[in-house]
């Protein structure tokens, strides 16, 4: 045991982080077991008669529901005759109270766990029903326990690290040989799309179950071949692994987009989710797979000849060659293993998200490398342990999870993770320089790597402290996750939501999904694990986010979507409400402007963004308006510009080359419209082409003022943010909410820009 701890000293850092986050997430928890039921039953029995009207209240899918269901029969067994159970939402409780009022019944006791007091209809019952102002709320006593150590949160930590940890097996072997593999993130996407495209071609939704392993095998083998190709180039032509795998990374990502045309693949068999979401003997299948792979990799690296060859090549390649080690085979082998591991990771993510998306795995190569280096593998090669890599992967996962639980903003998280990676590299360098010098040092002396670790922990603690010190005590927490908080549009929404939530006594924790569906689902899992009171969701992928929504619902957390709708049918049915701009109506406004500006004649094009449902509705409204008004305009092409300026410029340039007589162009947002305008200027066709954007962002408004855009139908992000928080407040009050709450868009013309100073003052 002591030898193990000495070999894997980084384990102490992991234990320290767990203790650190356990202390910072320590808070009162609500009991719901048999003891809590007996406690409340005894209080009621000692203070109320057997005819007292008692309502046992619980929230659907939460511990409070188990408590209420258990309390009712206990009270009835003790002779109480008027015990009513209300399991569900605040609206269900409100309807029950209204029924009691109609029947002229009294209400003496509301029995529930403390979290039900967050419902305003319960907390302020007398304000809604004055006749029941004397009703008493009785709950069991709470106890202290860290949110970090909740079973659901520990499972979330393991679940989020599976893909990175599996890929890190191959990366460890590559780095031990002295190489590096930057292609693994792109190979995740390539594997996922190859597997799902094959499943779609072999039957799609109706495909038999045996199609799934065939698709997985194709995706994994494809990535293995790509990895082997990179390894061949590294050995045969002595090209630096960094440059070689950088090129392979770009090629693999491009192939993923070429195969799918930039679209996500949703037509997959129902059984696809078994690997990523299923369980065997109550243990997630991914965890069982992770354990099996690490045991096999540990045995391979520590007990086999080829494992020793890998260390030998990394320690001294020339000496290994002279000793008879097959250098070429070993180098190609480790890159093949790295590719196969990345391919398996892509299949797992496709299974977790129930879709194949070409933008999966962005930046994953950095997380994988970080896990390997933090786990003790030397970037110089020749040193490293597989189990150390697993510990490193857990450190990265614990850091991300802990910071999410504490509500550390996305920007601060990036700084902290970067600092941890730098600290690990410094430790590696210190170890390398002092390897000989410390051989005779006292074992009890604190090595320099220990001081570096201490400084890293101090840095982490200081960052968390300063990010938390101004947070006030709140009634509860709301989790918000959006596409990208670096986008000023979403930053404005987050800031407005935070201010509005504070008015109701709630703290809002805003996180950036960074256009990564898997990362956003992990954030949703963290919100659910900590038991947040609500989730405000702006999907990075309208379909792939379904797993996260379902998981939140199963944890009893209400989810509200905003701006972009959730298109997964099962998940959409579980949402409380969607609050967003009426994008379909906004598209119709854009079409009306285009018809008037072009004289309703000629060829036009559309710059779209099919990954976002909001943009799909904009295009649909645009097309439908033209069709309904028998427009003579002809849409010659519709291409995705991904909603950004650089892609807008590139795609519009290609469109102008293919269609030189174009008279109009509709872009689904202002960034892509402004990129298109740069292409129009480059082609010297400002007078010929009429350009319409969407959003009325400050940059878009300024472009209208400068007469670059004719119109940019305006949506109102602040209204969207206020409307989302208001919907949550009404939900807590038990009010009925419509499934969709749409905020109409408005034209934004030159005349509007002249008198609008917000185009200069606003920052979104």
């Amino acid at each position: 045991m002591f030898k193990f701890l000495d070999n894997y000293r980084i384990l102490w850092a992991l234990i320290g982080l767990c203790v650190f986050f356990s202390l910072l997430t320590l808070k009162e928890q609500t009991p719901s077991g048999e003891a809590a039921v007996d406690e409340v039953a005894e209080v009621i029995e000692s203070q109320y008669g057997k005819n007292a009207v008692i309502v046992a209240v619980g929230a659907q899918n939460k511990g409070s529901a188990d408590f209420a269901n258990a309390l009712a029969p206990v009270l009835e067994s003790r002779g109480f005759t008027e015990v009513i159970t209300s399991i569900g939402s605040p609206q269900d409780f409100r309807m029950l109270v209204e029924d009691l009022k109609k029947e002229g019944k009294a209400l003496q006791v509301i029995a529930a766990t403390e979290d039900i007091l967050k419902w305003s209809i319960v907390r302020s019952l007398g304000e809604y029903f004055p006749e029941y102002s004397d009703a008493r709320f009785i709950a069991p006593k709470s106890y202290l326990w860290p949110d970090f150590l909740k079973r659901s949160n520990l499972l979330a930590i393991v679940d989020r690290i599976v893909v990175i940890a599996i890929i890190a097996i191959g990366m460890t072997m590559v780095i031990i040989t002295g190489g590096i593999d930057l292609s693994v993130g792109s190979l995740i996407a390539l594997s996922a799309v190859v597997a799902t495209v094959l499943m779609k071609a072999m039957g799609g939704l109706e495909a038999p179950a045996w199609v799934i392993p065939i698709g997985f095998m194709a995706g994994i083998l494809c990535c293995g071949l790509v990895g082997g190709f990179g390894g061949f180039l590294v050995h045969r032509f002595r090209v630096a692994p960094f440059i070689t795998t950088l090129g392979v990374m770009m090629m693999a990502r491009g192939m993923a987009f070429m195969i799918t045309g930039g679209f996500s693949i949703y037509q997959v068999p129902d059984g696809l989710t078994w690997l990523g979401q299923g369980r065997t003997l109550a243990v997630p299948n991914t965890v069982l797979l992770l354990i099996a792979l690490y045991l096999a990799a540990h045995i391979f690296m520590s007990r086999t000849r080829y494992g020793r060859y890998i260390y030998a090549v990394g320690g001294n390649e020339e000496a290994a060659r002279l000793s008879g080690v097959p250098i070429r085979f070993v180098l190609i082998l480790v890159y093949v293993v790295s590719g196969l591991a990345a391919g398996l990771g892509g299949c797992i993510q496709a299974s977790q998200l129930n879709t194949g998306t070409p933008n999966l795995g962005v930046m994953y190569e950095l997380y994988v490398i970080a896990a390997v280096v933090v786990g003790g593998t030397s970037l110089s090669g020749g040193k490293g342990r597989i189990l150390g890599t697993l510990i490193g992967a857990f450190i990265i996962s614990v850091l991300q999870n802990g910071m999410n639980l504490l509500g550390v903003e996305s920007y601060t998280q990036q700084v902290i993770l970067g600092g941890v990676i730098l600290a690990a590299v410094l430790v590696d360098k210190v170890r390398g320089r002092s390897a000989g010098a410390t051989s005779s040092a006292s074992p009890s002396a604190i090595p320099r790597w220990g001081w570096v670790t201490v400084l890293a922990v101090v840095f982490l603690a200081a960052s968390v402290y300063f990010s938390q010190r101004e947070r006030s005590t709140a009634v509860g927490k709301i989790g918000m996750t959006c596409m990208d908080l670096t986008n000023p549009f979403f930053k404005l929404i987050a800031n407005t939501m935070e201010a509005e939530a504070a008015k109701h006594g709630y703290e809002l924790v805003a996180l950036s999904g960074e256009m990564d569906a898997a990362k956003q689902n992990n954030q949703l899992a963290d919100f659910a694990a900590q038991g947040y009171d609500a989730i405000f969701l702006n999907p990075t992928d309208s379909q792939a986010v379904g797993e996260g929504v379902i998981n939140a619902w199963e944890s009893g957390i209400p989810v509200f979507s905003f701006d972009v709708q959730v298109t997964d049918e099962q998940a959409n049915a579980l949402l409380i409400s969607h609050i967003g701009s009426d994008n379909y109506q906004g598209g119709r406004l854009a079409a009306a402007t285009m018809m008037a500006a072009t004289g309703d004649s000629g060829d036009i094009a559309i710059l779209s963004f099919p990954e976002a449902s909001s943009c799909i509705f904009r295009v649909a409204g645009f097309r439908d308006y033209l069709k309904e008004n028998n427009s003579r305009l002809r849409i010659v092409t519709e291409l995705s510009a991904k909603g950004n300026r650089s892609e807008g410029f590139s795609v519009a340039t290609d469109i102008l080359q293919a269609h030189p007589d174009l008279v109009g162009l509709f872009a689904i947002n202002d960034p892509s419209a402004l990129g298109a305008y740069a292409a129009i200027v480059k082609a010297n066709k400002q007078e010929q082409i009429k350009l319409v954007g969407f959003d009325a962002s400050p940059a878009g408004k300024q472009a209208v003022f400068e007469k670059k855009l004719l119109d940019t139908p305006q949506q109102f992000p602040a209204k969207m943010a206020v409307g989302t928080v208001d919907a949550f407040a009404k939900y807590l009050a038990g009010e009925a909410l419509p499934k969709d709450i749409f905020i109409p868009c408005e034209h934004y013309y030159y005349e509007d820009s002249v008198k609008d100073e917000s185009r200069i003052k606003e920052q979104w």
Side-chain angles (χ1 to χ4, degrees), residues 156-230:
I157 290 173
V158 177
D159 190 54
R160 79 151 62 228
I161 204 58
V162 165
V163 172
I164 289 175
I166 287 176
I167 299 173
I169 292 174
M171 185 69 76
T172 301
M173 297 181 186
V174 170
I175 292 179
I176 287 175
T177 64
I180 199 81
D181 189 354
L182 299 180
S183 68
V184 292
S186 297
L187 291 179
I188 290 174
L190 181 61
S191 172
V193 300
V194 167
T196 52
V197 165
L198 185 59
M199 293 176 200
K200 178 182 176 181
M202 298 180 70
L205 295 170
E206 306 300 326
W210 56 265
V211 167
I212 297 172
I214 290 178
F216 282 167
M217 191 64 65
I220 294 170
L221 291 178
C222 176
C223 291
L225 289 173
V226 173
F229 172 69

Side-chain angles (χ1 to χ4, degrees), residues 130-172:
E131 54 269 67
Y132 296 136
S133 58
D134 294 332
R136 182 183 171 192
F137 183 86
I138 299 177
K141 294 179 181 178
S142 58
Y143 64 96
L144 285 175
W145 187 257
D147 282 332
F148 179 81
L149 293 181
K150 286 182 177 178
R151 180 178 180 274
S152 58
N153 189 62
L154 295 177
L155 287 176
I157 290 173
V158 177
D159 190 54
R160 79 151 62 228
I161 204 58
V162 165
V163 172
I164 289 175
I166 287 176
I167 299 173
I169 292 174
M171 185 69 76
T172 301

Side-chain angles (χ1 to χ4, degrees), residues 383-398:
K383 297 178 181 178
R385 291 184 174 91
I386 288 292
L387 295 184
T389 292
L390 181 61
I391 296 171
F394 269 103
I395 287 176
I396 298 298
S397 180
V398 166

Side-chain angles (χ1 to χ4, degrees), residues 605-608 637-659 662 665 672 675-676 679:
I606 298 175
L607 295 184
S608 63
T637 187
E638 177 187 332
L639 297 175
S640 174
K642 300 180 184 176
N644 65 64
R645 190 175 294 208
S646 60
E647 289 291 331
F649 173 78
S650 301
V651 175
T653 299
D654 294 339
I655 291 175
L656 295 180
Q657 289 291 328
H659 305 282
L662 209 69
L665 195 152
S672 55

Side-chain angles (χ1 to χ4, degrees), residues 673-690:
L674 292 172
Y677 180 77
I680 292 171
V681 171
K682 182 179 179 182
N684 196 26
K685 294 186 177 183
Q686 299 95 306
E687 298 300 322
Q688 172 187 325
I689 299 176
K690 310 302 179 185

Side-chain angles (χ1 to χ4, degrees), residues 94 114 162 165 342 370 377 462 507 509 512 655 661 737:
R94 183 169 188 151
E114 288 285 349
V162 165
T377 298
E507 175 189 339
V509 176
S512 176
I655 291 175
D661 297 327
L737 290 169

